[in-house]
Amino acid sequence: MTRVVVVTGAASGIGAAVARHFGRLGAQVVVADIDVAGGTAVAEEVGGLFVRTDTTREEDNLALVAAAVEAYGGLDFVHLNAGIGDGGGFGRDDYDAARQHRVLTVNLHGVMFGLHAALPVLAAHGGGSLVVTSSMAGVGMAPFDPVYAATKYGVIGLVRSLAPPWQAQGVRINAICPGFVRTPILPPEAIDHIVGEGFALADPAEIAASVAEIAAGEEVGQAYVLQAGRAPEPVAFPRLDLARADA
């Protein structure tokens, strides 16, 4: 059984649901978020540890992993879930370079810092599993938020590129690509629109159960689409064989 779990962006939404899921399984859960009140409440609920973490700061990611090891003696599973949306567009009225930079920093650089902090520690403690939250926007398109989509494509590129070398050290890396999920990242008007268009909204607890299933599996370098009422669906990436000079 997974014993020590770290979840970023765990004060609400998918992250909180993942923390609760593993807490119910008896794991020692480390809740990481910049939201002190929300994160503390989730940590108290699961009998775990809250560590205030700004994932855009490399030192915060390193301190988070160190706190987990100091408190519980090791590390078995990490879910790099923290992320934000609304990077804006490229039109005259919605282009905002500062806002775009913030989305890039949280969604891509924050994941890179988390991977850098967690992977060596997972390997040193006998291996384990790491899941990164991407999005269906990372395998499709999001005309309403192209910068967000770009970061989620980037996350999958990281996962697929890092998975083979770290598999050799006993660490399994995968990504999840949730569809529409009822979380605080979706404002009420967006939820009303999604439901009105006939799309199903997944509950965060449903996503959390899929995350636990993926974490316990043996696959590596996969990106799983998670939608309401469906089992995790691996994305069918093209096989890229390098051409041989003598072929």
Side-chain angles (χ1 to χ4, degrees):
M1 186 195 78
T2 299
R3 299 181 302 277
V4 183
V5 173
V6 168
V7 186
T8 68
S12 62
I14 291 173
V18 171
R20 293 184 181 110
H21 186 94
F22 280 100
R24 286 193 296 271
L25 294 177
Q28 303 287 349
V29 181
V30 180
V31 174
D33 209 292
I34 58 172
D35 177 357
V36 175
T40 299
V42 173
E44 290 176 351
E45 181 182 344
V46 303
L49 171 70
F50 172 70
V51 179
R52 186 193 181 281
T53 307
D54 179 350
T55 57
T56 68
R57 293 168 51 86
E58 184 173 14
E59 54 268 39
D60 278 24
N61 287 274
L62 293 168
L64 168 63
V65 171
V69 174
E70 181 178 357
Y72 300 122
L75 193 58
D76 298 291
F77 172 58
V78 176
H79 184 190
L80 300 178
N81 170 73
I84 60 173
D86 193 20
F90 285 80
R92 179 171 298 177
D93 298 325
D94 62 352
Y95 183 87
D96 186 325
R99 188 168 65 183
Q100 292 178 353
H101 179 73
R102 176 65 178 166
V103 173
L104 284 165
T105 302
V106 174
N107 292 2
L108 196 52
H109 290 159
V111 169
M112 293 170 68
F113 292 148
L115 288 163
H116 173 67
L119 288 172
V121 176
L122 284 166
H125 286 268
S129 180
L130 188 148
V131 170
V132 181
T133 298
S134 179
S135 167
M136 279 187 64
V139 292
M141 56 183 176
F144 54 90
D145 200 345
V147 177
Y148 173 80
T151 63
K152 294 305 184 178
Y153 269 91
V155 160
I156 292 174
L158 278 170
V159 164
R160 288 178 54 74
S161 300
L162 288 170
W166 285 96
Q167 182 183 16
Q169 299 188 53
V171 182
R172 302 180 308 279
I173 311 173
N174 292 286
I176 59 168
C177 303
F180 296 119
V181 185
R182 195 178 294 274
T183 70
I185 200 171
L186 288 176
E189 60 272 18
I191 291 177
D192 291 343
H193 175 75
I194 291 166
V195 173
E197 291 294 315
F199 293 105
L201 276 167
D203 187 83
E206 182 180 0
I207 303 299
S210 293
V211 168
E213 178 183 341
I214 293 163
E218 296 300 323
E219 296 296 322
V220 299
Q222 296 292 333
Y224 293 90
V225 173
L226 305 182
Q227 299 187 79
R230 299 184 185 181
E233 302 173 45
V235 176
F237 292 101
R239 180 175 176 177
L240 302 178
D241 292 323
L242 296 178
R244 292 174 57 87
D246 57 352

